[in-house]
Amino acid sequence: MQSHLPAAHAEESLSLSSLKEMSLEDVLQVEIVSKKAENKNSAAGIVSVVTHDDIKRYGANTLADVLNRVTSIYMLSTYIWSDSTAAMRGDALTHVNNHTLVLINGRPFRDSAYGGLNETMFRDFPIHHIEQIEVIRGSGSVLYGSNAFTGVINVVTKKHQDNALTLRGRYGSFNTGQVESEFAWKNDEAAITGAVRHRASDGWLFSAIDERKQPANFRNNDDDTSASLWGEWKDFNFNLFVVNNQRNHWGSVPIGSGQPIENDRLFFDVGYKHQINQHWSSTWNITFNKFSQNYNLPVQGTLYLTDLYENNVLFEQTHFLNFFEDKLNFVAGGLVEWREGGVTQVSQPNTLNPYTSLKSSIYGEASYSLLDNLKVSVGGQWHRFDNLKAAPQGVIDNGEATEGLVGRTGLVYELTSSLGAKLLYNQAYRSPSAGELGANSSLVQGNRNIQPELIESSDAQIFYHAQDYQISLTAFRSRVSNLIVRVPVADTNPVRLQYSNAGNAEFEGLELESEAKLFEGLSWKGAYTFQTNRDEHNQNNKTQMPNHMAKIGLSYDATTDLQISAFDTYFSAAKIVPTSLEVNPAANSYHSLSVNTNYRLDNLLGFAHTKHITFSFYLDNLLDEKFYYPEFNRKIINTIPASPGRSLFGEIAIEF
C-alpha cells in the first residue's frame, strides 16, 4: 500500500505543522474495498480509517482500545473471551465474532473450528507496528468470502521504513508491565519491519454473581507474548503474526471463580506480485492460519481439560486489469482453502471429532468511470464448501456440498471536487463453522445440513471534504436470513441443543462521521451512530446492543514537545433479555473517557533531534465508571463486569 504519511522520523513529530501542509484527503488511501490502493472518497464502500498518528495521539493499551473509537463499533468481552468481539452496527448474536472478518495487510486472519475467535488479535497485536487500520462498515464477501458479513477490519502494518530501532517500556495499574521493540531495515531490493511485545499483569478484580447465584471473584491476570513481521524482497513479500496468550477467564460457562485459558496463534502469508504488462498485474498468496487453545469444559458438573487444534491453508490468486487510462478496472481471482482440526477432552469423547474440509471460490468485480466524476461497480462471488469426512455418529449429514452466489453493486458520484454521494448494495454470507457442523458433545449436536447465513444490505452516503475538515452522513439497512441458532432436541435429558437455520433479523440506522483541524495545533475527530434492529416477528432489539454511540476526540499540540489528547466514547444502555436472572448491575449507558499525553524529552536532556525519547502518560476511564456488558450468549444471567475502573499507564520510548 502506498502511504502518504511522512517518513519514519518525521512522522514521530509532535507538531501538526507537517500535517497542516496537506489536505485531509492526502492520508485517505485505502486498499480494503477493491484490493488495490484508491482514495477513500471514491471507493465503492463505507470506510473508516485510523492512522498511526491517531493511535499515537490518543493512546491505547490494545487494538481493542483503538477499535472501540471507530464509528459504529462496540467492543465486547464475554465470559470466556476477553476483548474478543467487534460488533458493528448492532450485530452481535453470539459470543463468537463470526460476522466480522479481520485481515492483516489484506490477508484473512481466520479460524475454522468456531469461525470468529479474534481475542488474540484484538488483545495482543503490537499496535505500534500499525501504519493504519481500514474498516469497512458493511459487507465484503464478494472479495473476502465468509465472515465478511457486517464488517471487515484490515490492519495495515508499517512498510518500507528507514533503518530504525525503538524500545518501549510501559508500566501501570494492576502491576501491568509491558516491553516492546519496533525495528526497520531496508536496501534497494529488500525491506523488513517488525515489532515484538511482552505483557504481564496481575489483572483487575472480577466480581459478579454466576448462573448458580453464587459469588464469583478472581483476578483476570494475563501473560502474553506476540510478534508481528512484514518483509519484502523484489516481487515477494511475507506477513507473520505469532502470539501466546495465557490468562484467567470466568470459564467456558459463567460458573465458578475463574479458570486458566491458553491460546497459541500463528498467521503466516507469503505473496508474489507479477506485472505482466502495463494493463495486467497479478498476485499469488499462500496463507497459513494455525490455532490451538486449551481450557476446562464442564461435562455433567465435572471439569475436563479441553484442547482445540486447527490448521488452515489457503491458496489464492488475484488478477488486476485496467484500460482506457484507468477508467475501466477489473479484479478477478479464485482460492482453495483446506482446513483441519478438532476438539478433544481428557477421558471423554471428542467434543468436536477431527474434521477436514475444502472450501473454494471464484470472484470478480468491474468498475467503470462513466464520467470523470461518476463510477459504477459490479461484482460477484461463487463459493463451495465440501465436507471431506463423514460425520460422526449422532450428527446429521446428508453428504451434500454447499454452494452459493453473492453479488454487489455500487455507484459513486462526486458532484464537485468536495461533495459526493455513494449508493451501495451488497450481499454476503457466513459459512457454518466446523463446530456448528460437527459438534458432538453431551450438550451440543452439530448438523451438516445447515446452510450459510445470508445478508442483504444497502448503504447511502453523502460526504463533503475540504482542506481542513471532512464530514459524512450514511444511512444503512440490512436483512439477515438463515440465522444459525441452537434449538432443543426432543426427548433428551439433560436437554441437548442442535444447530439449525431459524429466524432472521433486520438492522437499520444512521452514521455521522467528521474530522477537522480547528485551528493552530488543535484537531478533532467525531462520530455518532444510531442503530435499531428487530426479529422475524417485528419485535425490536433482536440483539442487545446499544442503540446510540457517540465518539469524540480532541488533540492539542501545546508546544513542539508536548501533545495532549482526550477521547470520549459513549454507549447508551444495552438491552437485557427479560427472562435472564437480574443478579448483576444493569448494562447502563456509560462514558469511557481517556486522556493521553506525549512529551518529548529531547530538549530537556540535550539529545539530538534525529532520535527521540518520548514519555507518554495514558489515563483510561478517567470518570472511573463501573460498566457491564450484556450476557448475550447463554442469556441465563443479565450481565458480566466490563470495567476495571480508572487505570493509569506510563511509557518511555527510546529511538536508536
Side-chain angles (χ1 to χ4, degrees), residues 254-428:
I255 294 174
S257 291
Q259 300 170 28
I261 185 171
E262 181 174 6
N263 298 280
D264 284 290
R265 196 79 184 252
L266 170 65
F267 164 90
F268 184 67
D269 177 82
V270 177
Y272 172 71
K273 183 175 182 178
H274 181 56
Q275 188 71 42
I276 299 172
N277 57 44
Q278 63 176 339
H279 300 293
W280 181 9
S281 66
S282 64
T283 60
W284 304 72
N285 289 85
I286 301 175
T287 306
F288 178 54
N289 277 284
K290 181 181 180 64
F291 182 39
S292 66
Q293 180 182 82
N294 63 74
Y295 57 95
N296 288 317
L297 183 69
V299 178
Q300 297 180 347
T302 301
L303 293 173
Y304 291 93
L305 182 63
T306 303
D307 291 294
L308 177 154
Y309 72 93
E310 58 179 78
N311 299 287
N312 311 296
V313 182
L314 183 151
F315 300 88
E316 182 172 5
Q317 61 170 308
T318 308
H319 300 274
F320 303 87
L321 298 98
N322 66 85
F323 304 98
F324 309 123
E325 298 180 341
D326 208 32
K327 289 186 177 182
L328 176 62
N329 287 269
F330 292 99
V331 178
L335 62 87
V336 175
E337 184 176 12
W338 181 79
R339 308 189 285 187
E340 71 162 8
V343 180
T344 61
Q345 287 184 316
V346 175
S347 302
Q348 287 291 312
N350 289 337
T351 300
L352 174 59
N353 281 55
Y355 64 87
T356 56
S357 62
L358 188 70
K359 185 178 179 181
S360 55
S361 67
I362 300 171
Y363 56 85
E365 183 172 74
S367 63
Y368 182 66
S369 297
L370 297 174
L371 304 169
D372 290 339
N373 58 350
L374 178 63
K375 184 173 75 173
V376 177
S377 300
V378 178
Q381 184 194 98
W382 171 87
H383 50 271
R384 178 187 175 94
F385 183 91
D386 295 287
N387 295 305
L388 301 184
K389 276 191 177 181
Q393 185 177 2
V395 175
I396 300 174
D397 184 11
N398 63 9
E400 295 181 359
T402 299
E403 308 185 349
L405 182 67
V406 293
R408 76 178 185 185
T409 184
L411 183 68
V412 181
Y413 183 33
E414 297 184 78
L415 290 82
T416 69
S417 59
S418 300
L419 180 66
K422 300 181 182 182
L423 189 61
L424 311 172
Y425 172 78
N426 289 279
Q427 296 175 325

Side-chain angles (χ1 to χ4, degrees), residues 532-579:
T532 183
N533 58 83
R534 61 188 65 87
D535 63 15
E536 62 273 18
H537 304 298
N538 209 34
Q539 298 295 312
N540 289 331
N541 301 311
K542 169 77 172 180
T543 72
Q544 297 166 250
M545 301 301 101
N547 294 123
H548 303 271
M549 308 179 201
K551 307 183 179 188
I552 300 173
L554 284 172
S555 182
Y556 180 57
D557 285 49
T559 69
T560 56
D561 293 327
L562 177 63
Q563 183 183 84
I564 303 172
S565 306
F567 205 103
D568 181 37
T569 302
Y570 167 79
F571 297 104
S572 64
K575 308 301 183 292
I576 303 300
V577 175
T579 56

